[in-house]
């Protein structure tokens, strides 16, 4: 496995992210404030219902972006005028120490995080009151989920805005700095090793869950204790379900397994999909579909560069899918242009080409339009141009999902475009998806 990027030996660039968000906020004409503060609270400890154990903890992504802190029950204040970032952490609780050991102390937090000060939560109300007395003009916070009793201290004397901060952070998260890219590469390196381990485990595996266990074990032994999302380990026709979740069916008698799984590293995600033969070699039908999907991905990668329109890449992938399915005889009775116009390829490639990637698998800023009446674009998670520095996934696929395809076979107009006799040979392929992640530059992309 590749060694860790040396940049990760430093601190997560929380203050740079705060400054980036502050600059974005100050571009809003009605909200230009030089003496403003940003207030956020992290995720709280939440107990499992009817139990004294906490739920698995996942830090709120906006909070981590501005702090680099993944501890529960924390708060932050960023003073825009002085570029001062203060982290508030839980007070020392002697009773809790008995069970859980000593928590992170303020002196340790200052060494760990890119912050200017660290104070106990008990000092937060007084700190907010002090800011109010200093004539702070506006306090930015995130509505509802980020609001608690502490914020009421500001409101009598400071105007508060709960609408701008969340979209500001979402937009700033789209482009990644070098530290974030290093985190993503670390997660991706671990995921690649886990996918390779799954491939080697196939000859002795008996069930989808055996392969899932190998993947997760490889990630944990590499230091990645959290998965970026619930992995997909779909064999046979299960691979035709885009977000298949059961992962518990026997592998016997099936051709392929689609593995869509990724590790998380320090709150940053990877997202990798590979389709693997269960017998050691693709049969002719599977190889033909795999070849089409690989060409779809290669063509998209070739077009991908800063400011390219994402819809252009998506259309190109569909054009290649149409051409490939025509050559196999699955599609018929029309030119590639006619078949694309009739959206017949959506029956076999129903999802978008990819998405932004970062702290969330389907990361922020894509501006999807799920109400689009055009089935070709409805499920795109990215719309419009791709900025330099964004990290995206490119994940074309071709699937043989009866629930999706069979309505086309019953449609009087569209059924003539699909040869059911040829199609019958491909149901067992299930689905083929190939997914990789890359950073976008003006020169193209880097994987």
């Amino acid at each position: 496995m590749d060694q860790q990027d040396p940049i990760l030996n430093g601190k997560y660039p929380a203050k740079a992210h705060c400054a980036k968000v502050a600059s974005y906020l100050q571009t809003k004409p009605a909200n230009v404030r030089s003496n403003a503060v940003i207030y956020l609270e992290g995720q709280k400890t939440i107990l499992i219902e009817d139990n004294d154990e906490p739920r698995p903890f996942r830090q709120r992504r906006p909070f981590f972006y501005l702090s680099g802190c993944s501890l529960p029950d924390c708060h932050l204040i960023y003073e825009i005028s002085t570029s001062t970032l203060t982290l508030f952490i839980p007070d020392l609780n002697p009773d809790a120490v008995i069970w859980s050991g000593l928590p992170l102390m303020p002196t340790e937090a200052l060494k760990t995080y890119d912050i200017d000060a660290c104070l106990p939560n008990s000092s937060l109300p007084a700190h907010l009151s002090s800011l109010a007395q200093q004539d702070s003009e506006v306090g930015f916070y995130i509505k509802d989920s980020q609001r608690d009793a502490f914020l009421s201290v500001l409101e009598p004397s400071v105007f508060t805005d709960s609408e701008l901060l969340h979209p500001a952070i979402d937009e700033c998260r789209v482009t990644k700095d070098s530290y974030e890219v290093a985190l993503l590469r670390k997660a991706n390196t671990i995921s690649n090793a886990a996918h390779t381990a799954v491939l080697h485990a196939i000859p002795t595996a008996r069930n989808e869950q055996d392969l899932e266990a190998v993947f997760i074990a490889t990630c944990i032994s590499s230091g990645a204790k959290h998965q970026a999302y619930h992995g997909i380990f779909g064999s046979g026709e299960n691979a035709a379900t885009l977000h298949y979740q059961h992962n518990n069916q026997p592998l016997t008698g099936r051709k392929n397994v689609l593995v869509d799984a990724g590790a998380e590293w320090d709150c940053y995600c990877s997202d990798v999909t590979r389709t693997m033969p269960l017998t050691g070699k693709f049969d002719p039908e599977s190889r033909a579909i795999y070849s089409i999907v690989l060409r779809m991905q290669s063509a998209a990668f070739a077009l991908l560069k800063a400011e390219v329109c994402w819809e252009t890449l998506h259309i190109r992938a569909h054009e290649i899918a149409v051409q490939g399915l025509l050559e196999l005889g699955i599609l018929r009775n029309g030119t590639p242009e006619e078949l694309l116009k009739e959206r017949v390829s959506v029956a076999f490639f129903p999802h978008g080409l990819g998405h932004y990637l970062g702290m969330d698998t389907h990361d922020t800023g894509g501006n999807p339009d799920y109400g689009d009446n055009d089935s070709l674009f409805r499920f795109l998670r990215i719309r419009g141009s791709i900025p330099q520095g964004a990290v995206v996934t490119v994940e074309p696929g071709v699937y043989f999902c009866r629930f999706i395809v069979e309505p086309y076979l019953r449609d009087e107009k569209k059924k003539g475009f699909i040869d059911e006799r040829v199609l019958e040979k491909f149901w067992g392929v299930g689905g083929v998806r190939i997914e990789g992640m890359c950073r976008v530059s003006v020169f193209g992309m880097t994987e």
Side-chain angles (χ1 to χ4, degrees), residues 191-247:
S191 296
N192 287 342
H195 276 271
T196 301
V198 168
L199 180 62
H200 291 159
I202 285 176
T204 58
R206 296 292 177 266
N207 192 288
E208 295 165 347
Q209 63 198 16
D210 298 338
L211 301 178
E212 182 179 23
V214 169
F215 189 95
I216 293 174
T218 304
C219 292
I220 292 175
S221 66
S222 301
K225 293 188 176 182
H226 301 289
Q227 295 292 289
Y229 52 96
H230 189 288
I232 299 164
F233 296 79
S235 62
E237 293 193 19
N238 294 333
T241 299
L242 301 183
H243 285 174
Y244 174 72
Q245 298 286 288
H246 298 298
N247 300 343

Side-chain angles (χ1 to χ4, degrees), residues 127-306:
H127 195 91
L128 288 169
S129 294
S130 175
L131 290 174
Q133 294 168 12
Q134 294 172 21
D135 298 322
S136 296
E137 294 180 332
V138 60
F140 293 102
Y141 70 100
I142 293 178
K143 191 175 182 179
D144 298 331
S145 67
Q146 302 285 298
R147 179 187 177 91
D148 63 14
F150 292 131
L151 194 61
S152 63
V153 176
L154 280 177
E155 288 186 320
S157 56
V158 178
F159 171 73
T160 58
D161 185 297
S162 64
E163 303 298 329
L164 285 177
L165 183 56
H166 208 315
I169 294 175
D170 284 353
E171 286 301 315
C172 289
R173 283 172 56 183
V174 171
T175 55
K176 307 297 191 291
D177 55 46
S178 57
Y179 197 100
E180 292 178 286
V181 171
L183 289 171
L184 291 166
R185 282 182 172 149
K186 178 70 174 182
N188 194 57
T189 297
I190 294 172
S191 296
N192 287 342
H195 276 271
T196 301
V198 168
L199 180 62
H200 291 159
I202 285 176
T204 58
R206 296 292 177 266
N207 192 288
E208 295 165 347
Q209 63 198 16
D210 298 338
L211 301 178
E212 182 179 23
V214 169
F215 189 95
I216 293 174
T218 304
C219 292
I220 292 175
S221 66
S222 301
K225 293 188 176 182
H226 301 289
Q227 295 292 289
Y229 52 96
H230 189 288
I232 299 164
F233 296 79
S235 62
E237 293 193 19
N238 294 333
T241 299
L242 301 183
H243 285 174
Y244 174 72
Q245 298 286 288
H246 298 298
N247 300 343
N248 62 1
Q249 295 301 299
L251 303 176
T252 304
R254 294 175 175 174
K255 295 182 177 183
N256 312 307
V257 60
L258 187 154
V259 179
D260 184 339
E264 178 184 300
W265 185 264
D266 207 7
C267 292
Y268 278 75
C269 301
S270 61
D271 189 357
V272 180
T273 305
R274 295 292 183 266
T275 305
M276 310 172 189
L278 288 171
T279 60
K281 184 179 180 181
F282 283 127
D283 71 348
E285 289 76 23
S286 299
R287 179 168 294 281
I289 299 303
Y290 191 95
S291 177
I292 292 171
V293 175
L294 188 59
R295 293 201 302 271
M296 293 164 69
Q297 187 187 54
S298 297
F301 277 147
L303 293 173
L304 183 57
K305 63 180 180 179

Side-chain angles (χ1 to χ4, degrees), residues 285-439:
E285 289 76 23
S286 299
R287 179 168 294 281
I289 299 303
Y290 191 95
S291 177
I292 292 171
V293 175
L294 188 59
R295 293 201 302 271
M296 293 164 69
Q297 187 187 54
S298 297
F301 277 147
L303 293 173
L304 183 57
K305 63 180 180 179
E307 303 309 321
V308 71
C309 179
W310 188 252
E311 287 88 341
T312 300
L313 275 65
H314 185 68
I315 291 171
R316 182 59 183 143
H318 269 274
E319 289 172 345
I320 293 173
V322 167
Q323 185 61 49
L325 295 174
L326 270 171
E327 291 170 358
L328 292 177
I330 296 173
L331 297 184
R332 64 179 182 179
N333 295 337
T335 66
E337 294 76 17
E338 290 170 336
L339 292 167
L340 184 62
K341 182 179 179 181
E342 293 296 330
R343 302 311 194 224
V344 180
S345 56
V346 175
F348 302 96
F349 177 26
H351 61 78
L353 182 62
H355 49 82
Y356 288 133
L357 187 70
M359 286 187 286
D360 290 309
T361 305
H362 299 149
D363 213 28
T364 58
N367 302 311
D369 179 11
Y370 298 131
D372 195 324
N373 291 324
D374 190 332
S375 61
L376 191 72
F377 302 116
R378 182 176 304 145
F379 295 120
L380 265 66
R381 298 186 187 274
I382 300 175
R383 303 301 295 263
S385 61
I386 308 299
Q388 180 178 353
V391 175
V392 299
T393 69
V394 177
E395 52 173 318
V398 170
Y399 312 86
F400 299 92
C401 177
R402 296 180 188 274
F403 182 81
I404 297 175
V405 175
E406 287 178 348
Y408 284 75
L409 303 178
R410 295 191 294 267
D411 185 284
E412 287 300 320
K413 184 176 182 181
K414 294 181 178 179
K415 68 181 182 180
F417 295 128
I418 301 173
D419 190 323
E420 291 190 60
R421 180 184 58 81
V422 177
L423 176 64
E424 191 64 31
K425 297 187 296 183
F426 287 86
W427 292 117
V429 174
V432 173
R433 181 163 67 249
I434 307 172
E435 179 179 22
M437 48 190 275
C438 57
R439 190 185 194 193

